[in-house]
Amino acid sequence: MRYTRDNSSNVSVLVFIHIQKTAGTLLERRLVKDGLVGKTCYCFFRRRCSCKTPNGNTWLVSRYSTGWVCGLHADLTELTECIDNKLNKVDHHIIKRKYTYFTLLRDPINRFISEWQHIRRGATWHSATLRCNKQYPPLEHYKPCYFNEEIVENISSNVSMKSVIDCPYNLASNRQTRMLANLSSLGCYKHLTKWSQPLNVTVLTHIPSVSLALLNSAKHNLVNIINCYGLSEYLIYSQYILQKCLHITFKRTFVEFNKISFIKPRLLFTHATIIRSNLNQSTLHEIQNVNRLDIFLYDFAKQLFVYRLVNYLLFDSNIPLHFRRPLHTIWHSRLRSKSYICLSYLLLSNPIINHHDANISSNAFSYRFNLFLTNLFIRKGSIPVSESILTSENKKWSDRLSYDFKI
């Protein structure tokens, strides 16, 4: 097939890095299925839509728009190596493109538990290509865990947490760090077993050099390559940052916080939180050790997330002064080393639990601010969701929990 070449245009393309079990499907639904204000995607199959400009250029790379063009749950390494050639084929012409990468991150322990649950339902993502330097990893570097007899025989429901933790080639361990690092400069999957080794450490200086290189690469990319990201534990703030950074407006909010009574059960009772509350401390400690790099990365990402959020808020005229003033005071305080602690305490305190307790000022601020942002999204173009839809979604969620946990 021949392609036309156009060197005069520079098309902006949003590229979503979908890390497993980080609420990525929710974000993709909001992007494609629910849609954006002023940007539409034409959907012709249940899970496939076309997101193109009037000139026929793809403006969004995601599962629901282009499909897995660079492989199932392609990581940053795979995407940067293949995306340009793939879009040339999809759009049938060669043009200059400016890529904007974004993603979602999640608490590493909850994410790992959620992935274990997904494995128990029979999904192992074994068809992921894991290409690096345009090559598949050789068998001496990667052997899929889920071809082991013990796991295959019990794949329907009885895969133990220990089986997943003990597999030296387990891709679930430190998945977020690995998927955001530049693997091509780190020997690709040559050191996978070392990256997955349990680390019972609490300071960076005690991390082996091979693992530290992976972590530093992911941190570097999070700052310099990933244009913006959200945290699945803070979806309202994540929507705010993504809208600011990507210059878009979601037609539907990530969380209908203005109707908290309808969504509270879904926010408080997820698969991971239910399971985590029933795991013993020894198992939790093992999960922490095999995800130590992700824990360090998430702590770094959380701090950067707060600073970026506050930086947007302080210069946003849509935010009332009574919300900006305390943030401004903390931000410009002399004790900058403690500013993150104060800002996170004020912004990231759980707005759902005990928000009626006047003695918990951080919860009260967080609750009021999340409610304000939700209403701001609606004023800016997001469409309110009816109570009947929320009731229906709650029933589906309740039925899912009942089925998975045999409640």
Side-chain angles (χ1 to χ4, degrees), residues 64-80:
Y64 289 147
S65 55
T66 56
W68 304 112
V69 289
C70 291
L72 177 64
H73 284 283
D75 57 28
L76 182 61
T77 301
E78 289 181 282
L79 285 167
T80 53

Side-chain angles (χ1 to χ4, degrees), residues 297-313:
L297 178 68
Y298 188 78
D299 289 343
F300 173 82
K302 196 173 179 180
Q303 183 169 342
L304 182 60
F305 179 84
V306 168
Y307 286 149
R308 286 181 174 177
L309 173 63
V310 173
N311 191 54
Y312 277 126
L313 293 172

Side-chain angles (χ1 to χ4, degrees), residues 251-317:
K251 286 185 178 178
R252 180 177 174 182
T253 58
F254 289 6
V255 179
E256 286 76 21
F257 202 80
N258 55 333
K259 297 178 180 177
I260 190 66
S261 60
F262 286 88
I263 64 170
K264 186 175 181 179
R266 275 189 286 157
L267 295 178
L268 292 178
F269 302 106
T270 66
H271 287 75
T273 55
I274 293 173
I275 294 172
R276 185 170 181 170
S277 64
N278 289 286
L279 291 176
N280 58 53
Q281 288 300 314
S282 175
T283 302
L284 280 174
H285 188 63
E286 288 185 86
I287 295 173
Q288 290 172 347
N289 287 344
V290 296
N291 288 281
R292 189 63 61 183
L293 299 182
D294 266 10
I295 291 173
F296 279 118
L297 178 68
Y298 188 78
D299 289 343
F300 173 82
K302 196 173 179 180
Q303 183 169 342
L304 182 60
F305 179 84
V306 168
Y307 286 149
R308 286 181 174 177
L309 173 63
V310 173
N311 191 54
Y312 277 126
L313 293 172
L314 290 180
F315 295 96
D316 189 346
S317 59

Side-chain angles (χ1 to χ4, degrees), residues 83-327:
I83 192 64
D84 216 37
N85 288 333
K86 289 292 185 180
L87 288 189
N88 287 338
K89 294 179 181 179
V90 170
D91 295 339
H92 305 300
H93 52 241
I94 301 172
I95 58 174
K96 293 180 180 179
R97 298 182 180 88
K98 178 184 177 182
Y99 295 104
T100 300
Y101 293 94
F102 63 105
T103 190
L104 280 177
L105 300 176
R106 185 182 180 186
D107 172 81
I109 308 304
N110 287 342
R111 199 214 64 79
F112 187 86
I113 293 172
S114 186
E115 181 161 342
W116 168 58
Q117 274 294 103
H118 207 63
I119 293 169
R120 286 162 62 91
R121 290 194 288 267
T124 62
W125 301 291
H126 63 272
S127 59
T129 56
L130 307 179
R131 289 172 67 88
C132 176
N133 287 331
K134 300 182 179 180
Q135 295 181 343
Y136 301 104
L139 283 176
E140 60 265 28
H141 294 169
Y142 171 63
K143 299 174 184 177
C145 298
Y146 314 115
F147 293 162
N148 294 347
E149 291 183 5
E150 185 271 333
I151 294 184
V152 171
E153 291 175 357
N154 299 287
I155 197 67
S156 59
S157 62
N158 296 320
V159 179
S160 67
M161 175 66 80
K162 184 169 178 56
S163 298
V164 177
I165 291 175
D166 289 346
C167 178
Y169 299 97
N170 184 12
L171 295 174
S173 301
N174 296 313
R175 180 182 286 281
Q176 296 177 103
T177 306
R178 191 188 68 255
M179 289 186 68
L180 295 182
N182 181 9
L183 301 185
S184 59
S185 65
L186 298 171
C188 294
Y189 287 85
K190 179 181 179 180
H191 303 296
L192 177 61
T193 55
K194 294 181 180 179
W195 296 336
S196 302
Q197 282 181 346
L199 294 175
N200 188 14
V201 299
T202 56
V203 291
L204 290 173
T205 53
H206 294 164
I207 298 178
S209 58
V210 171
S211 298
L212 186 60
L214 182 76
L215 176 60
N216 287 337
S217 177
K219 285 182 177 181
H220 175 271
N221 290 340
L222 201 61
V223 175
N224 299 288
I225 306 299
I226 308 298
N227 297 74
C228 49
Y229 61 91
L231 303 179
S232 64
E233 286 77 19
Y234 310 102
L235 287 174
I236 294 177
Y237 295 147
S238 297
Q239 178 176 347
Y240 177 81
I241 286 180
L242 291 174
Q243 290 190 163
K244 284 287 187 181
C245 173
L246 304 178
H247 307 290
I248 59 177
T249 300
F250 293 94
K251 286 185 178 178
R252 180 177 174 182
T253 58
F254 289 6
V255 179
E256 286 76 21
F257 202 80
N258 55 333
K259 297 178 180 177
I260 190 66
S261 60
F262 286 88
I263 64 170
K264 186 175 181 179
R266 275 189 286 157
L267 295 178
L268 292 178
F269 302 106
T270 66
H271 287 75
T273 55
I274 293 173
I275 294 172
R276 185 170 181 170
S277 64
N278 289 286
L279 291 176
N280 58 53
Q281 288 300 314
S282 175
T283 302
L284 280 174
H285 188 63
E286 288 185 86
I287 295 173
Q288 290 172 347
N289 287 344
V290 296
N291 288 281
R292 189 63 61 183
L293 299 182
D294 266 10
I295 291 173
F296 279 118
L297 178 68
Y298 188 78
D299 289 343
F300 173 82
K302 196 173 179 180
Q303 183 169 342
L304 182 60
F305 179 84
V306 168
Y307 286 149
R308 286 181 174 177
L309 173 63
V310 173
N311 191 54
Y312 277 126
L313 293 172
L314 290 180
F315 295 96
D316 189 346
S317 59
N318 293 301
I319 308 299
L321 280 176
H322 65 270
F323 284 126
R324 283 189 285 165
R325 189 176 292 113
L327 300 177

